[in-house]
Coordinates of all heavy atoms in Angstrom, one line a residue:
R1 N 57.5 19.0 57.2 CA 58.6 18.1 57.6 C 59.9 18.6 56.9 O 61.0 18.6 57.6 CB 58.3 16.7 57.2 CG 59.3 15.7 57.8 CD 58.9 14.3 57.6 NE 60.0 13.5 58.1 CZ 60.0 12.2 58.3 NH1 58.8 11.6 58.1 NH2 61.0 11.6 58.7
Y2 N 59.9 19.0 55.7 CA 61.0 19.5 55.0 C 61.6 20.8 55.6 O 62.8 20.9 55.8 CB 60.7 19.7 53.5 CG 61.8 20.4 52.7 CD1 62.9 19.6 52.3 CD2 61.8 21.7 52.5 CE1 64.0 20.2 51.6 CE2 62.9 22.3 51.8 CZ 63.9 21.6 51.4 OH 65.0 22.2 50.7
A3 N 60.6 21.6 56.0 CA 61.0 22.9 56.6 C 61.7 22.6 58.0 O 62.7 23.3 58.3 CB 59.8 23.8 56.8
E4 N 61.2 21.7 58.7 CA 61.8 21.3 60.0 C 63.2 20.8 59.8 O 64.2 21.2 60.5 CB 61.0 20.3 60.7 CG 61.5 19.9 62.0 CD 60.6 18.8 62.7 OE1 59.3 18.8 62.5 OE2 61.1 17.9 63.4
L5 N 63.4 19.9 58.8 CA 64.7 19.3 58.5 C 65.7 20.4 58.0 O 66.8 20.5 58.4 CB 64.6 18.2 57.5 CG 65.9 17.5 57.1 CD1 66.5 16.9 58.3 CD2 65.6 16.5 56.0
S6 N 65.2 21.3 57.2 CA 66.0 22.4 56.7 C 66.4 23.3 57.9 O 67.6 23.8 57.9 CB 65.2 23.2 55.7 OG 65.9 24.3 55.2
A7 N 65.5 23.6 58.8 CA 65.9 24.4 59.9 C 67.0 23.8 60.8 O 67.9 24.4 61.3 CB 64.6 24.7 60.8
K8 N 66.8 22.5 61.0 CA 67.8 21.7 61.8 C 69.2 21.8 61.1 O 70.2 21.9 61.7 CB 67.4 20.3 62.1 CG 66.3 20.2 63.1 CD 65.9 18.8 63.4 CE 64.8 18.7 64.4 NZ 64.5 17.3 64.7
Q9 N 69.1 21.6 59.8 CA 70.4 21.6 59.0 C 71.1 23.0 59.1 O 72.3 23.1 59.3 CB 70.1 21.3 57.5 CG 71.3 21.3 56.7 CD 71.0 21.0 55.2 OE1 69.8 21.1 54.8 NE2 72.0 20.6 54.5
K10 N 70.3 24.1 59.0 CA 70.9 25.4 59.2 C 71.5 25.6 60.6 O 72.5 26.2 60.7 CB 69.8 26.5 58.9 CG 69.4 26.6 57.5 CD 68.4 27.7 57.2 CE 68.0 27.7 55.8 NZ 66.9 28.7 55.6
D11 N 70.8 25.1 61.6 CA 71.3 25.2 63.0 C 72.6 24.4 63.1 O 73.6 24.9 63.7 CB 70.3 24.6 64.0 CG 69.1 25.6 64.2 OD1 69.2 26.8 63.8 OD2 68.1 25.1 64.8
F12 N 72.7 23.3 62.5 CA 73.9 22.4 62.6 C 75.1 23.1 61.8 O 76.2 23.2 62.3 CB 73.6 21.1 61.9 CG 74.8 20.2 61.9 CD1 75.2 19.5 63.1 CD2 75.6 20.0 60.8 CE1 76.3 18.7 63.1 CE2 76.7 19.2 60.7 CZ 77.1 18.5 61.9
I13 N 74.8 23.6 60.6 CA 75.8 24.3 59.9 C 76.3 25.6 60.6 O 77.5 25.8 60.7 CB 75.3 24.7 58.4 CG1 75.1 23.4 57.6 CG2 76.2 25.6 57.7 CD1 74.4 23.6 56.3
G14 N 75.4 26.3 61.2 CA 75.8 27.5 62.0 C 76.6 27.1 63.1 O 77.6 27.8 63.4
C15 N 76.3 26.1 63.8 CA 77.1 25.6 65.0 C 78.5 25.2 64.5 O 79.5 25.5 65.2 CB 76.4 24.4 65.7 SG 77.1 23.9 67.2
A16 N 78.6 24.5 63.4 CA 79.9 24.0 62.9 C 80.7 25.2 62.5 O 81.9 25.2 62.7 CB 79.7 23.1 61.7
E17 N 80.1 26.2 61.9 CA 80.9 27.4 61.5 C 81.4 28.2 62.7 O 82.5 28.7 62.7 CB 80.0 28.3 60.6 CG 79.8 27.8 59.2 CD 78.8 28.6 58.4 OE1 78.2 29.5 58.9 OE2 78.6 28.3 57.2
K18 N 80.5 28.2 63.7 CA 80.9 28.9 65.0 C 82.1 28.2 65.6 O 83.1 28.9 66.0 CB 79.8 29.0 65.9 CG 80.1 29.7 67.2 CD 78.9 29.6 68.2 CE 79.3 30.3 69.5 NZ 78.3 30.0 70.6
N19 N 82.1 26.9 65.6 CA 83.2 26.1 66.2 C 84.4 26.3 65.4 O 85.5 26.4 65.9 CB 82.8 24.6 66.3 CG 81.9 24.3 67.4 OD1 81.7 25.1 68.3 ND2 81.2 23.2 67.3
S20 N 84.3 26.4 64.1 CA 85.5 26.6 63.2 C 86.1 28.0 63.5 O 87.3 28.1 63.5 CB 85.0 26.5 61.7 OG 86.1 26.8 60.9
E21 N 85.3 29.0 63.6 CA 85.8 30.3 63.9 C 86.5 30.4 65.3 O 87.5 31.0 65.4 CB 84.6 31.4 63.8 CG 84.1 31.6 62.4 CD 82.9 32.6 62.4 OE1 82.7 33.3 63.4 OE2 82.2 32.5 61.4
E22 N 85.9 29.7 66.3 CA 86.5 29.7 67.6 C 87.8 29.0 67.5 O 88.8 29.4 68.2 CB 85.5 29.0 68.6 CG 84.3 29.9 68.9 CD 83.3 29.2 69.8 OE1 83.5 28.0 70.1 OE2 82.3 29.8 70.2
S23 N 87.9 27.9 66.8 CA 89.1 27.1 66.6 C 90.2 28.0 66.0 O 91.4 28.0 66.4 CB 88.9 25.9 65.8 OG 90.1 25.2 65.6
K24 N 89.8 28.8 65.0 CA 90.8 29.7 64.3 C 91.3 30.7 65.3 O 92.5 31.1 65.3 CB 90.1 30.3 63.1 CG 90.0 29.4 61.9 CD 89.3 30.2 60.8 CE 89.0 29.2 59.6 NZ 88.3 29.9 58.5
G25 N 90.4 31.2 66.1 CA 90.8 32.2 67.2 C 91.8 31.6 68.1 O 92.8 32.2 68.5
R26 N 91.6 30.3 68.6 CA 92.5 29.7 69.5 C 93.8 29.4 68.8 O 94.9 29.6 69.4 CB 91.9 28.4 70.0 CG 90.8 28.6 71.0 CD 90.3 27.3 71.7 NE 89.8 26.3 70.8 CZ 88.5 26.2 70.4 NH1 87.6 27.1 70.9 NH2 88.1 25.3 69.6
I27 N 93.8 29.0 67.6 CA 95.1 28.8 66.8 C 95.8 30.1 66.7 O 97.0 30.2 66.9 CB 94.8 28.2 65.4 CG1 94.2 26.8 65.5 CG2 96.0 28.2 64.5 CD1 95.2 25.7 66.0
G28 N 95.1 31.2 66.5 CA 95.7 32.5 66.4 C 96.4 32.9 67.7 O 97.5 33.4 67.7
Q29 N 95.8 32.5 68.8 CA 96.4 32.8 70.1 C 97.7 32.0 70.3 O 98.7 32.5 70.8 CB 95.4 32.5 71.2 CG 94.3 33.5 71.3 CD 93.3 33.1 72.4 OE1 93.2 31.9 72.8 NE2 92.5 34.0 72.9
L30 N 97.6 30.7 69.9 CA 98.8 29.9 70.0 C 99.9 30.4 69.1 O 101.1 30.3 69.4 CB 98.4 28.4 69.6 CG 97.6 27.7 70.6 CD1 97.1 26.3 70.1 CD2 98.4 27.5 71.9
V31 N 99.6 30.8 67.9 CA 100.6 31.4 67.0 C 101.3 32.6 67.6 O 102.5 32.7 67.6 CB 99.9 31.8 65.6 CG1 100.9 32.7 64.8 CG2 99.5 30.6 64.8
E32 N 100.5 33.4 68.2 CA 101.1 34.6 68.9 C 102.0 34.2 70.0 O 103.1 34.7 70.2 CB 100.0 35.5 69.5 CG 100.5 36.8 70.0 CD 99.4 37.7 70.4 OE1 98.3 37.7 69.9 OE2 99.7 38.6 71.3
M33 N 101.6 33.2 70.8 CA 102.4 32.7 71.9 C 103.7 32.1 71.4 O 104.8 32.4 71.9 CB 101.6 31.7 72.8 CG 100.6 32.3 73.6 SD 99.6 31.2 74.6 CE 100.2 29.6 74.5
V34 N 103.6 31.2 70.4 CA 104.8 30.5 69.9 C 105.7 31.5 69.2 O 106.9 31.4 69.3 CB 104.3 29.4 69.0 CG1 105.5 28.8 68.2 CG2 103.6 28.3 69.8
S35 N 105.1 32.5 68.5 CA 106.0 33.5 67.9 C 106.8 34.3 68.8 O 107.9 34.7 68.5 CB 105.1 34.5 67.1 OG 104.5 33.8 66.0
N36 N 106.4 34.4 70.1 CA 107.1 35.2 71.1 C 108.1 34.3 71.8 O 108.8 34.8 72.7 CB 106.1 35.9 72.0 CG 105.4 37.0 71.3 OD1 105.9 37.7 70.5 ND2 104.1 37.1 71.7
M37 N 108.1 33.0 71.6 CA 109.0 32.1 72.3 C 110.4 32.1 71.5 O 110.4 32.3 70.3 CB 108.5 30.7 72.3 CG 107.3 30.5 73.2 SD 106.8 28.8 73.1 CE 105.4 28.8 74.1
K38 N 111.4 31.7 72.2 CA 112.7 31.4 71.5 C 112.5 30.1 70.7 O 111.7 29.3 71.1 CB 113.8 31.3 72.5 CG 114.1 32.5 73.3 CD 115.3 32.4 74.2 CE 115.6 33.7 74.8 NZ 116.7 33.7 75.7
P39 N 113.2 30.0 69.6 CA 113.0 28.8 68.8 C 113.2 27.5 69.5 O 112.4 26.5 69.2 CB 114.1 29.0 67.7 CG 114.3 30.4 67.6 CD 114.1 30.9 69.0
E40 N 114.1 27.4 70.4 CA 114.3 26.1 71.2 C 113.1 25.8 72.0 O 112.7 24.6 72.0 CB 115.5 26.3 72.1 CG 116.8 26.4 71.4 CD 118.0 26.6 72.4 OE1 118.4 25.6 73.1 OE2 118.5 27.7 72.4
K41 N 112.5 26.7 72.7 CA 111.3 26.5 73.5 C 110.1 26.2 72.6 O 109.4 25.3 72.9 CB 111.0 27.7 74.4 CG 109.8 27.6 75.3 CD 110.0 26.6 76.3 CE 108.8 26.6 77.3 NZ 108.8 25.4 78.2
A42 N 110.0 26.9 71.5 CA 108.9 26.7 70.6 C 109.0 25.2 70.0 O 108.0 24.6 69.9 CB 108.9 27.7 69.5
A43 N 110.2 24.8 69.7 CA 110.4 23.5 69.2 C 110.0 22.4 70.2 O 109.3 21.4 69.8 CB 111.8 23.3 68.8
S44 N 110.3 22.6 71.5 CA 109.9 21.6 72.5 C 108.4 21.6 72.7 O 107.8 20.5 72.9 CB 110.7 21.9 73.8 OG 110.2 23.1 74.4
V45 N 107.8 22.8 72.6 CA 106.3 22.8 72.7 C 105.6 22.2 71.6 O 104.7 21.4 71.7 CB 105.9 24.3 72.9 CG1 104.4 24.4 72.8 CG2 106.3 24.8 74.3
L46 N 106.0 22.5 70.4 CA 105.4 22.0 69.2 C 105.7 20.5 68.9 O 104.9 19.8 68.3 CB 105.8 22.8 67.9 CG 105.2 24.3 67.9 CD1 105.8 25.0 66.7 CD2 103.7 24.3 67.9
S47 N 106.8 20.0 69.4 CA 107.1 18.6 69.3 C 106.1 17.7 70.0 O 105.9 16.6 69.5 CB 108.5 18.3 69.8 OG 109.5 19.0 69.0
V48 N 105.5 18.2 71.0 CA 104.6 17.3 71.8 C 103.1 17.7 71.5 O 102.2 17.0 72.0 CB 104.9 17.4 73.3 CG1 106.2 16.9 73.7 CG2 104.7 18.8 73.8
Q49 N 102.9 18.7 70.7 CA 101.6 19.1 70.3 C 101.1 18.2 69.2 O 101.8 17.5 68.5 CB 101.7 20.5 69.7 CG 100.4 21.2 69.3 CD 99.5 21.4 70.5 OE1 98.6 20.6 70.7 NE2 99.7 22.5 71.2
D50 N 99.7 18.1 69.1 CA 99.1 17.3 68.0 C 99.7 17.8 66.7 O 99.8 19.0 66.5 CB 97.6 17.6 68.1 CG 96.9 16.8 67.0 OD1 96.8 15.6 67.0 OD2 96.4 17.5 66.0
P51 N 100.2 16.9 65.9 CA 100.9 17.3 64.6 C 100.0 18.2 63.7 O 100.6 19.1 63.2 CB 101.1 15.9 63.9 CG 101.1 14.9 65.0 CD 100.2 15.4 66.0
E52 N 98.7 18.0 63.6 CA 97.9 18.8 62.8 C 97.9 20.3 63.3 O 98.0 21.2 62.5 CB 96.5 18.3 62.7 CG 95.7 18.9 61.6 CD 94.4 18.2 61.3 OE1 94.4 17.0 61.2 OE2 93.4 18.9 61.1
I53 N 97.8 20.4 64.6 CA 97.7 21.7 65.2 C 99.1 22.4 65.1 O 99.2 23.6 64.8 CB 97.3 21.7 66.7 CG1 95.9 21.2 66.8 CG2 97.5 23.0 67.4 CD1 95.4 20.9 68.2
A54 N 100.2 21.6 65.3 CA 101.5 22.2 65.2 C 101.8 22.7 63.8 O 102.4 23.7 63.6 CB 102.6 21.1 65.5
V55 N 101.3 22.0 62.8 CA 101.5 22.4 61.4 C 100.7 23.6 61.1 O 101.2 24.5 60.4 CB 101.2 21.2 60.4 CG1 101.1 21.7 59.0 CG2 102.2 20.1 60.5
Q56 N 99.5 23.7 61.6 CA 98.7 24.9 61.4 C 99.4 26.1 62.0 O 99.4 27.2 61.5 CB 97.3 24.8 62.0 CG 96.4 23.8 61.3 CD 95.1 23.7 62.0 OE1 94.8 24.3 63.0 NE2 94.3 22.8 61.5
I57 N 100.0 25.9 63.2 CA 100.7 27.0 63.9 C 101.9 27.4 63.1 O 102.2 28.6 62.8 CB 101.1 26.6 65.3 CG1 99.9 26.5 66.2 CG2 102.1 27.6 65.9 CD1 100.1 25.8 67.5
L58 N 102.7 26.4 62.6 CA 103.9 26.7 61.9 C 103.6 27.4 60.5 O 104.4 28.2 60.0 CB 104.7 25.4 61.6 CG 105.4 24.8 62.9 CD1 105.8 23.4 62.7 CD2 106.6 25.7 63.2
Q59 N 102.5 27.1 60.0 CA 102.1 27.7 58.7 C 101.8 29.2 58.9 O 102.1 29.9 57.9 CB 100.8 27.0 58.2 CG 100.4 27.5 56.8 CD 99.1 26.8 56.4 OE1 98.3 26.2 57.2 NE2 98.8 26.9 55.1
L60 N 101.4 29.6 60.0 CA 101.1 31.0 60.2 C 102.2 31.8 60.8 O 102.1 33.0 61.0 CB 99.8 31.1 61.2 CG 98.6 30.5 60.6 CD1 97.5 30.4 61.6 CD2 98.1 31.2 59.3
I61 N 103.3 31.1 61.2 CA 104.5 31.8 61.7 C 105.4 32.2 60.6 O 105.4 31.6 59.5 CB 105.2 30.8 62.7 CG1 104.4 30.6 63.9 CG2 106.6 31.4 63.1 CD1 105.0 29.6 64.9
D62 N 106.2 33.3 60.8 CA 107.2 33.7 59.8 C 108.0 32.5 59.4 O 108.4 31.7 60.2 CB 108.0 34.8 60.5 CG 109.1 35.3 59.6 OD1 108.8 35.8 58.5 OD2 110.3 35.1 59.9
A63 N 108.3 32.4 58.1 CA 109.0 31.3 57.5 C 110.4 31.1 58.2 O 110.9 30.0 58.4 CB 109.1 31.4 56.0
K64 N 111.1 32.2 58.4 CA 112.4 32.1 59.0 C 112.4 31.6 60.4 O 113.2 30.7 60.8 CB 113.1 33.5 59.0 CG 113.6 34.0 57.7 CD 114.3 35.3 57.8 CE 114.7 35.8 56.5 NZ 115.4 37.1 56.5
K65 N 111.4 32.0 61.2 CA 111.2 31.5 62.5 C 110.8 30.0 62.5 O 111.3 29.2 63.3 CB 110.1 32.3 63.3 CG 109.8 31.8 64.7 CD 110.3 32.8 65.7 CE 110.0 32.3 67.1 NZ 110.4 33.2 68.1
A66 N 110.0 29.7 61.6 CA 109.5 28.2 61.5 C 110.7 27.4 61.1 O 110.9 26.3 61.7 CB 108.5 28.1 60.4
S67 N 111.6 27.8 60.3 CA 112.8 27.0 59.9 C 113.7 26.8 61.1 O 114.3 25.8 61.3 CB 113.6 27.6 58.7 OG 114.2 28.8 59.1
K68 N 113.9 27.9 61.9 CA 114.7 27.8 63.1 C 114.0 26.8 64.1 O 114.7 26.0 64.8 CB 114.8 29.1 63.8 CG 115.7 30.1 63.0 CD 115.8 31.4 63.7 CE 116.6 32.4 62.9 NZ 116.7 33.7 63.5
I69 N 112.7 26.8 64.2 CA 112.0 25.9 65.1 C 112.2 24.4 64.6 O 112.5 23.6 65.4 CB 110.5 26.2 65.2 CG1 110.3 27.6 65.9 CG2 109.7 25.1 65.9 CD1 108.9 28.1 65.9
F70 N 112.1 24.2 63.3 CA 112.3 22.9 62.8 C 113.7 22.4 63.1 O 113.9 21.2 63.4 CB 112.1 22.8 61.3 CG 110.7 22.8 60.8 CD1 110.2 23.7 59.9 CD2 109.8 21.8 61.3 CE1 108.9 23.6 59.5 CE2 108.5 21.7 60.9 CZ 108.0 22.6 60.0
N71 N 114.7 23.3 63.1 CA 116.1 22.9 63.3 C 116.3 22.4 64.8 O 117.2 21.6 65.0 CB 117.1 24.1 63.0 CG 117.2 24.3 61.5 OD1 117.1 23.4 60.7 ND2 117.5 25.5 61.2
F72 N 115.5 22.9 65.7 CA 115.7 22.5 67.1 C 114.9 21.3 67.5 O 115.0 20.8 68.6 CB 115.3 23.7 68.0 CG 116.4 24.7 68.1 CD1 116.2 25.9 67.5 CD2 117.6 24.5 68.8 CE1 117.2 26.9 67.6 CE2 118.5 25.4 68.9 CZ 118.4 26.7 68.3
M73 N 114.1 20.8 66.6 CA 113.2 19.6 66.8 C 114.0 18.3 66.6 O 115.0 18.3 65.9 CB 112.0 19.6 65.9 CG 111.0 20.6 66.2 SD 109.6 20.4 65.1 CE 108.5 21.6 65.8
D74 N 113.5 17.2 67.2 CA 114.0 15.9 66.9 C 113.9 15.7 65.4 O 112.9 16.1 64.8 CB 113.2 14.9 67.7 CG 113.7 13.5 67.4 OD1 114.7 13.1 67.9 OD2 112.9 12.8 66.7
K75 N 114.9 15.0 64.8 CA 114.9 14.8 63.4 C 113.6 14.1 62.9 O 113.1 14.5 61.8 CB 116.1 14.1 62.9 CG 117.4 14.9 63.1 CD 118.6 14.1 62.7 CE 119.9 14.9 62.9 NZ 121.1 14.2 62.6
D76 N 113.2 13.1 63.6 CA 112.0 12.3 63.1 C 110.7 13.2 63.2 O 109.9 13.2 62.2 CB 111.8 11.1 63.9 CG 112.9 10.1 63.7 OD1 113.5 10.1 62.6 OD2 113.2 9.3 64.6
I77 N 110.6 13.9 64.3 CA 109.4 14.8 64.4 C 109.5 15.9 63.4 O 108.4 16.2 62.8 CB 109.3 15.3 65.9 CG1 109.1 14.2 66.9 CG2 108.2 16.4 66.0 CD1 109.2 14.6 68.3
S78 N 110.6 16.5 63.2 CA 110.8 17.6 62.3 C 110.4 17.1 60.9 O 109.7 17.8 60.1 CB 112.2 18.1 62.3 OG 112.4 19.1 61.4
A79 N 110.9 15.9 60.5 CA 110.6 15.4 59.1 C 109.2 15.2 58.9 O 108.6 15.5 57.9 CB 111.4 14.1 58.9
K80 N 108.5 14.6 59.9 CA 107.1 14.3 59.9 C 106.3 15.6 59.7 O 105.4 15.7 58.9 CB 106.6 13.6 61.1 CG 105.2 13.2 61.2 CD 104.8 12.5 62.4 CE 103.4 12.2 62.6 NZ 103.0 11.6 63.9
L81 N 106.6 16.6 60.5 CA 105.9 17.9 60.5 C 106.2 18.6 59.2 O 105.3 19.3 58.6 CB 106.2 18.7 61.7 CG 105.7 18.3 63.0 CD1 106.2 19.2 64.2 CD2 104.2 18.1 63.1
Q82 N 107.4 18.6 58.7 CA 107.7 19.2 57.5 C 107.0 18.6 56.3 O 106.5 19.4 55.4 CB 109.2 19.2 57.2 CG 110.0 20.1 58.1 CD 111.5 20.1 57.8 OE1 111.9 20.1 56.7 NE2 112.3 20.1 58.9
K83 N 106.8 17.3 56.3 CA 106.0 16.7 55.3 C 104.6 17.1 55.3 O 104.0 17.5 54.2 CB 106.1 15.1 55.4 CG 105.4 14.4 54.4 CD 105.5 12.9 54.6 CE 104.8 12.1 53.5 NZ 104.9 10.7 53.7
Q84 N 104.0 17.2 56.5 CA 102.6 17.7 56.6 C 102.5 19.2 56.2 O 101.6 19.6 55.6 CB 102.1 17.5 58.0 CG 101.8 16.1 58.4 CD 101.3 15.9 59.8 OE1 101.9 16.4 60.7 NE2 100.1 15.4 59.9
Y85 N 103.5 19.9 56.6 CA 103.6 21.4 56.3 C 103.6 21.6 54.8 O 102.9 22.4 54.3 CB 104.9 21.9 56.9 CG 105.1 23.4 56.7 CD1 104.4 24.3 57.5 CD2 106.0 23.9 55.8 CE1 104.7 25.7 57.3 CE2 106.3 25.2 55.6 CZ 105.6 26.1 56.4 OH 105.8 27.5 56.2
L86 N 104.4 20.8 54.1 CA 104.5 20.9 52.6 C 103.2 20.5 51.9 O 102.8 21.1 50.9 CB 105.7 20.1 52.1 CG 107.1 20.7 52.4 CD1 108.1 19.7 52.0 CD2 107.3 22.0 51.8
Q87 N 102.5 19.5 52.5 CA 101.3 19.1 51.9 C 100.2 20.1 52.1 O 99.3 20.3 51.3 CB 100.9 17.7 52.5 CG 101.7 16.6 52.1 CD 101.4 15.3 52.7 OE1 100.7 15.2 53.8 NE2 101.9 14.2 52.2
M88 N 100.2 20.8 53.2 CA 99.2 21.9 53.5 C 99.5 23.1 52.5 O 98.5 23.7 52.1 CB 99.3 22.4 54.9 CG 98.7 21.5 55.9 SD 98.7 22.2 57.5 CE 97.3 23.3 57.4
K89 N 100.7 23.3 52.1 CA 101.0 24.5 51.3 C 100.5 24.3 49.9 O 100.4 25.2 49.1 CB 102.5 24.7 51.3 CG 103.1 25.3 52.6 CD 102.7 26.7 52.7 CE 103.4 27.4 53.9 NZ 103.1 28.8 54.0
K90 N 100.3 23.0 49.5 CA 99.9 22.7 48.1 C 98.5 23.1 47.8 O 97.6 23.2 48.4 CB 100.1 21.2 47.8 CG 101.5 20.9 47.7 CD 101.7 19.4 47.3 CE 103.1 19.0 47.3 NZ 103.3 17.6 47.0

């Protein structure tokens, strides 16, 4: 019974790791897309994106480009995302 439970646990962990890797790949694609956008367009896209995903994308973008994107966002959204961004950097 222990061996069966251990095998199920390994399958579950493997599945979770696979999903994590696929998620990182999708985030990478979004980073590439947003990096190629003008800051104004990127700001409008990231403003309506899930905040956690937007922060992950902003974290992987060049810092100068990210600051330009923050400047084009609504002040409230920008402040919220910047707070999350700073917390992720810690």
Side-chain angles (χ1 to χ4, degrees):
R1 187 172 176 165
Y2 174 77
E4 182 181 324
L5 181 61
S6 180
K8 286 183 181 182
Q9 182 180 17
K10 286 180 184 178
D11 287 343
F12 178 78
I13 291 171
C15 186
E17 288 174 354
K18 181 182 176 191
N19 286 342
S20 177
E21 289 176 19
E22 289 175 355
S23 176
K24 286 179 185 176
R26 288 190 298 271
I27 293 291
Q29 290 174 338
L30 289 171
V31 167
E32 187 175 332
M33 287 178 6
V34 170
S35 292
N36 292 323
M37 292 179 181
K38 292 184 178 183
E40 291 177 74
K41 179 67 175 170
S44 67
V45 168
L46 292 175
S47 292
V48 296
Q49 184 65 263
D50 178 72
E52 191 168 316
I53 294 171
V55 170
Q56 288 177 6
I57 293 168
L58 287 164
Q59 183 181 20
L60 297 172
I61 291 177
D62 177 62
K64 287 183 181 181
K65 177 112 180 180
S67 68
K68 290 179 183 177
I69 292 171
F70 279 129
N71 287 334
F72 283 107
M73 288 182 176
D74 177 74
K75 291 178 183 179
D76 292 333
I77 295 171
S78 177
K80 180 180 174 184
L81 291 178
Q82 285 181 44
K83 182 178 178 182
Q84 287 180 303
Y85 180 80
L86 291 172
Q87 288 175 345
M88 283 186 80
K89 289 287 186 176
K90 290 182 181 179

